[in-house]
């Protein structure tokens, strides 16, 4: 079967499961005796295994299977979670992750995991000998169907069966054994149920349908079945399902039914005594939906509602759908077309001055701005998708550095545009590493400083105006001005004179200077050749900023400010000769007009005075080779004062057109990166205007 | 042996060129072009093609031919190769023909001043028509462009 069409779904879902596995393992590490978490983990692992096996990723399925074995012992309280088990399971998760990664990149998800498998097996074996031997034995000996697997019926089910026999239907007791080496026994069981339901009604099964679906059964199950079919024929049909070992079909009359039921009651009681701890807990904690579903079955045993168990997968149905990001991009493109037409219509309406037209256009404007909101929101993703990998990372990091660190995440539901989300992960990883490695002190130092031995890293996200802030704050050693300056001087980043004149904030910004690292020794965490300068560059390229607040001895806060979206920005449209350009409002400080005599020349560079300081005047017409505009010929020149951080510069332009919301578009793959131009937008008249990247003009 | 392909025929000067039809997205009349500063001379700028910004290059300029005036016949052929969408400005484009690949011969060293590496081959159609098949991947080759850029600096 061609599985390619399911591949992307498989990848998405596997990632979801891996994520949930990671999260729950971390939870479990916090409270190792909470079996309900183990159940959740087990189910996730189990689904993953099933999916991998169906898709033919054998290695993935095999490794998950081994992990499942360990988890199975844990949830049956035959094995207590310990540190080394966590470590092994985490290693297994990592391996699974890299396999899924490989599949995502078009590989076959193969990996050498013999080491992990061996340790998992050792864990299983180690406990097997002492604790589980007897239990397992007891279960496999349930080969005699009438003795152990007899089913207890409630009164209603019993009378339904009894009535059916009286009405001349066949009531059968079916006992099915699945081969021991079967990989997907729940699937086989499903196939049997499916087959049975085509020509009759399953009244009750043991174990329950929910348990069978979740593979909570050994290798056999039994059920009561009402049909008109011939028992021998049915037996043959069930045997035709592959990997079915043995089938017993018994036809019951009223007398034997009564006997069976009595036997069921007796064995149920016996079983309850023997397996109380494990069996009791399982259905209760795993499937909250199981109880109501059973209730429905009892009330309408003969209606088609009895078919539901085999199909429902437990768990609440998701109220979301997955959408290909490319489709959203197309929607966005189409929508921006609409915006352009809207602007054009508004222009026309104001020219024509027709009342009815103006009203219609205004209405359309309102509708389209609502639509714009919705389209934008479709692209919003909670930062959760980035944050969720951090707890695991911080755990591993703290472990390898021998520190104790609590990561507290707040505001994970804060939403950001998908394009920003995709880019922000790496810088955040780096800042978090920095916080744990350089910020939080080793345990001994913390105790000496009178702090608790566990350090706290706060990772928070929140909205503020048109921006999202992400802050990484720790209660570590803080930043000492002298230390930074010492390193900066040593590395030649600043001179002695500069250093003396710097404000604390400027000193902190030195951390982002290329080639700067305050780490005295290189640990395996830092020193990977990537400095904070890369972080800053990335964030700046996203239109964001990083600010550092620090109190020596108390801790440090890296605050990252990000734009909500990268697709639509507010811009000032300007004209230079016959050409039009857009300048992002976020980089503009002010607009002004300067007279020719106010422009001075310093070292051959033009400067203008702006609020008491001299700032460079940049000639766009010269840089861009604009033929029909030259500010030197003007007596009064319009300027736009732009900033990059604290530094200012003025751009000489011909004429302001006005402020506008513009849709960012790329210039296509063919053109190389052009310095000073970050993209293009389409104007109301259909013309393309280039968007300036003012950051480039300030050195 | 060989197969029939459909080819868009366009003109540069007196020569006729061909591009396989499945690489051509659309043929447009001349559109307003926005100049893009600081790029190669043969890049005329960018156009708005139904909401998508696409760079256009003057094919005469790309091949080092003498550049001509744009007329009513001037067309922009939008091609898509290797994920790149680019518009070619050509003198005219008004023919689609069926061509048997057997009829395409390896290109001679120099045809009309255009380096042979831009060509896939030359096809003889009718009695005296020569059709020059373009190698689009080579025409849009970026590595060569990067060289060009470094030469200019």
């Amino acid at each position: 079967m061609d599985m390619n069409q399911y591949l992307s779904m498989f990848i998405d879902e596997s990632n979801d499961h891996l994520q949930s596995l990671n999260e729950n393992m971390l939870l479990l590490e916090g409270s190792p005796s909470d079996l309900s978490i183990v159940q959740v983990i087990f189910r996730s692992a189990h689904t993953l295994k099933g999916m991998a096996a169906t898709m033919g990723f054998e290695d993935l399925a095999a490794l998950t299977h081994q992990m499942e074995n360990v988890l199975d012992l844990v949830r049956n309280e035959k094995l207590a979670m310990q540190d080394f088990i966590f470590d092994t399971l985490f290693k297994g998760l990592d391996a699974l992750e890299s396999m899924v990664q490989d599949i995502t990149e078009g590989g076959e998800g193969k990996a050498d995991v013999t080491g992990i498998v061996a340790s998992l097996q050792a864990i299983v074996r180690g406990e097997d000998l002492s604790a589980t031997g007897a239990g397992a034995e007891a279960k496999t000996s349930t080969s005699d169907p009438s003795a152990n697997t007899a089913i207890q019926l409630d009164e209603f089910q019993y009378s339904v069966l009894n009535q059916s026999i009286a009405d001349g239907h066949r009531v059968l007791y079916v006992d099915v054994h699945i081969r021991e080496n079967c990989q997907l026994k729940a699937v086989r069981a499903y196939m049997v149920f499916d087959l049975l339901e085509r020509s009759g009604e399953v009244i009750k099964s043991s174990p329950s349908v929910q348990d069978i679906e979740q593979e909570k059964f050994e290798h056999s199950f039994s059920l009561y079945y009402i049909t008109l079919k011939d028992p021998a024929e049915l037996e043959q049909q069930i045997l035709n399902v592959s990997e079915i070992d043995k089938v017993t079909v018994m036809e019951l009359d009223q007398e034997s039914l009564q006997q069976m039921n009595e036997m069921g009651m007796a064995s149920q009681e016996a079983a309850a005594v023997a397996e109380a701890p494990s069996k009791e807990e399982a259905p209760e904690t795993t499937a909250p939906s199981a109880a109501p579903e059973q209730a429905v079955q009892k009330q309408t045993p003969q209606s088609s509602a009895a078919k539901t168990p085999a199909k429902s997968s437990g768990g609440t149905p998701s109220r979301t759908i997955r959408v290909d990001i490319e489709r959203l991009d197309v929607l966005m493109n189409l929508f921006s077309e609409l915006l352009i037409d809207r602007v054009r219509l508004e222009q026309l309406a104001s020219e024509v001055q027709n009342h009815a037209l103006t009203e219609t256009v205004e209405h359309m404007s309102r509708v389209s701005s609502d639509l714009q909101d919705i389209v934008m929101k479709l692209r919003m993703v909670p930062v959760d998708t980035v944050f969720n990998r951090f707890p695991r990372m911080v755990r591993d990091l703290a472990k390898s550095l021998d520190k104790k660190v609590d990561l507290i995440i707040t505001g994970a539901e804060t939403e950001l545009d998908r394009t920003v989300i995709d880019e922000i992960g790496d810088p955040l990883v780096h800042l978090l590493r920095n916080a744990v490695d350089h910020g939080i002190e080793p345990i001994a130092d913390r105790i000496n400083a009178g702090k608790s031995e566990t350090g706290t890293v706060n990772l928070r996200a929140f909205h503020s105006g048109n921006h999202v802030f992400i802050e990484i704050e720790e209660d570590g050693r803080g930043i000492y001005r002298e230390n930074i300056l010492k390193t900066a001087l040593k590395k030649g980043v600043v001179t002695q004179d500069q250093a003396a004149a710097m404000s604390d904030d400027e000193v902190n910004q030195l951390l982002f200077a290329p080639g700067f690292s305050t780490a005295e020794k290189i640990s395996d965490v830092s020193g990977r050749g990537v400095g904070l300068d890369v972080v800053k560059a990335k964030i700046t390229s996203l239109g964001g900023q990083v600010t550092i607040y620090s109190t020596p001895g108390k801790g440090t806060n890296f605050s990252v400010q990000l734009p909500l979206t990268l697709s639509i920005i507010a811009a000032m449209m300007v004209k230079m000769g016959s050409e039009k350009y857009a300048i992002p409002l976020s980089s503009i400080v002010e607009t002004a007009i300067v007279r020719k005599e106010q422009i001075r020349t310093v070292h051959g560079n033009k400067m203008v005075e702006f609020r008491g300081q001299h700032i460079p005047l940049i000639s766009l017409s010269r840089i861009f080779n604009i033929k029909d505009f030259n500010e030197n010929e003007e007596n009064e020149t319009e300027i736009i004062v732009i900033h990059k951080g604290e530094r200012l510069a003025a751009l000489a332009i011909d004429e302001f057109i006005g402020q506008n919301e513009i849709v960012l578009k790329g210039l296509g793959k063919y053109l190389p990166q052009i310095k000073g131009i970050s993209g293009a937008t389409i104007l109301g008249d259909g013309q393309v205007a280039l968007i300036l990247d003012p950051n480039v003009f300030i050195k | 042996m060989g197969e029939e392909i459909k080819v868009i025929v366009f003109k540069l000067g007196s020569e006729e060129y061909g591009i396989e039809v499945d690489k051509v997205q659309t043929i447009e009349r001349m559109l307003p072009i926005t100049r893009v500063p600081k790029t190669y001379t043969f890049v005329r700028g960018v156009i708005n093609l139904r909401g998508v910004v696409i760079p256009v290059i003057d094919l005469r300029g790309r091949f080092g031919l003498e550049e001509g005036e744009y007329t009513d016949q001037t067309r922009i052929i939008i091609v898509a190769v290797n994920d790149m969408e680019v518009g070619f400005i050509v003198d005219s484009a008004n023919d689609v023909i069926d061509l048997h690949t057997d009829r395409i011969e390896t290109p001679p060293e120099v045809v009309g001043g255009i380096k042979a590496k831009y060509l896939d081959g030359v096809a003889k159609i009718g009695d005296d028509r020569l059709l020059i098949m373009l190698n689009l991947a080579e025409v849009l080759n970026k590595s060569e462009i990067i060289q060009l850029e470094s030469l200019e600096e």
Side-chain angles (χ1 to χ4, degrees), chain A residues 29 32 36 55 171-172 201 330 346 461 532 545 568 623:
Chain A
E29 209 175 16
S36 65
M55 297 291 294
V171 171
L172 305 179
E201 210 74 63
V330 173
E346 280 168 350
L532 283 176
Q545 288 174 31
I568 296 182
I623 293 175

Side-chain angles (χ1 to χ4, degrees), chain A residues 579 624 665 669 672 686 688, chain B residues 34-36 40 48 51 83 142:
Chain A
E579 297 181 2
F624 284 168
K665 289 180 186 268
K669 286 195 174 173
V688 181
Chain B
T34 301
R35 185 183 72 98
V36 178
Y40 333 111
N48 163 23
D83 256 8
K142 277 178 136 178

Side-chain angles (χ1 to χ4, degrees), chain A residues 208-211 214 283-284 286-297 314-315:
Chain A
S208 75
V209 177
Q210 281 79 19
D211 281 354
Q214 290 165 14
E284 234 176 309
T286 50
S289 61
E293 248 177 47
Q294 265 168 348
V296 171
Q297 267 177 287

Side-chain angles (χ1 to χ4, degrees), chain A residues 86-387:
Chain A
F86 274 113
D87 286 345
T88 319
L89 287 175
F90 272 127
K91 261 185 227 155
L93 281 183
D94 286 344
L96 292 178
E97 240 161 61
S98 56
M99 283 158 141
V100 172
Q101 186 60 35
D102 181 45
I103 293 167
T104 313
E105 283 157 10
E108 300 195 351
K110 291 204 179 300
D112 181 19
V113 289
T114 43
I116 302 170
V117 168
S119 21
L120 287 168
Q121 279 169 339
I123 293 172
V124 173
R125 262 200 318 275
E127 301 297 319
D128 224 346
L129 298 170
S130 54
T132 60
E137 279 301 306
K139 276 186 195 159
T140 44
S141 69
T142 53
S143 49
D144 181 1
S146 56
N148 282 325
T149 52
I151 311 166
Q152 186 191 21
L153 294 167
D154 65 22
E155 217 171 295
F156 186 71
Q157 289 162 335
Y158 179 71
S159 69
V160 166
L161 291 171
N162 218 351
Q163 191 59 43
S164 303
I165 296 171
D167 289 350
H169 292 284
R170 281 189 168 121
V171 171
L172 305 179
Y173 180 85
V174 185
D175 190 54
V176 182
H177 280 255
I178 296 175
R179 248 177 242 164
E180 301 248 333
N181 59 1
C182 174
Q183 276 287 325
L184 295 165
K185 33 185 191 168
V187 175
R188 301 302 169 206
Y190 171 79
M191 289 166 82
V192 171
F193 273 86
D194 195 44
L195 178 94
L196 291 173
E197 275 162 358
R198 260 180 255 155
S199 48
E201 210 74 63
V202 176
I203 297 302
K204 170 105 192 196
S205 74
S206 166
S208 75
V209 177
Q210 281 79 19
D211 281 354
I212 292 175
E213 259 177 54
Q214 290 165 14
E215 280 198 17
K216 288 203 205 89
F217 67 111
E218 290 300 315
H219 292 281
S220 67
F221 57 90
S222 18
L223 47 91
Y224 284 104
Y225 181 58
I226 306 176
T227 185
L228 288 169
K229 270 204 157 174
D230 177 52
E233 191 190 333
L234 194 71
E235 192 172 317
Q236 199 48 52
Q237 279 183 347
I238 296 176
L239 277 176
N240 282 345
V241 176
S242 48
E243 295 189 287
I244 298 292
D245 202 18
K246 197 169 83 180
V247 180
T248 333
V249 181
M250 261 194 292
E251 187 167 354
L252 304 177
D253 54 20
Q254 284 173 329
E255 200 179 319
S256 55
L257 178 65
Q258 196 187 347
Q259 272 180 8
M260 288 285 288
N261 195 29
E262 277 166 9
M263 217 147 48
M265 282 185 195
S267 76
Q268 191 78 8
E269 277 160 27
V273 175
E275 293 180 32
S278 57
K279 283 269 166 169
E280 211 87 307
E281 196 137 351
E284 234 176 309
T285 48
T286 50
S289 61
E293 248 177 47
Q294 265 168 348
V296 171
Q297 267 177 287
K298 279 175 201 162
Q299 281 152 18
T300 56
Q302 258 143 338
S303 79
S304 61
K307 284 199 169 182
T308 47
K311 277 164 196 161
S312 80
S313 58
T316 48
S318 159
R319 297 279 289 152
T320 58
I321 54 166
R322 288 178 195 279
V323 182
D324 193 338
I325 188 83
E326 274 174 29
R327 287 195 195 170
L328 280 185
D329 284 344
V330 173
L331 181 63
M332 193 74 190
N333 260 342
L334 290 174
F335 185 73
S336 52
E337 280 290 273
L338 209 61
L339 277 188
I340 289 156
D341 288 346
R342 183 185 97 184
V343 174
R344 180 82 187 124
L345 266 181
E346 280 168 350
Q347 279 173 8
L348 285 175
S350 72
E351 281 166 26
V352 175
Q353 296 280 345
N354 175 315
H355 185 66
L357 177 64
T358 314
E359 239 173 46
T360 316
V361 169
E362 272 171 11
H363 182 253
M364 195 194 129
S365 302
R366 275 198 300 277
V367 173
S368 68
S369 38
D370 286 355
L371 203 56
Q372 180 178 350
D373 270 3
I374 294 286
V375 174
M376 294 304 298
K377 274 189 192 132
L378 284 183
R379 300 173 52 90
M380 298 302 263
V381 186
V383 281
D384 190 25
T385 50
V386 182
F387 281 8

Side-chain angles (χ1 to χ4, degrees), chain A residues 573-576 629 638 653-657:
Chain A
M573 300 301 304
V574 300
K575 222 169 138 178
M576 279 178 271
F629 171 64
E638 278 90 347
I653 56 129
D654 188 1
E655 213 176 291
F656 301 117
I657 299 174

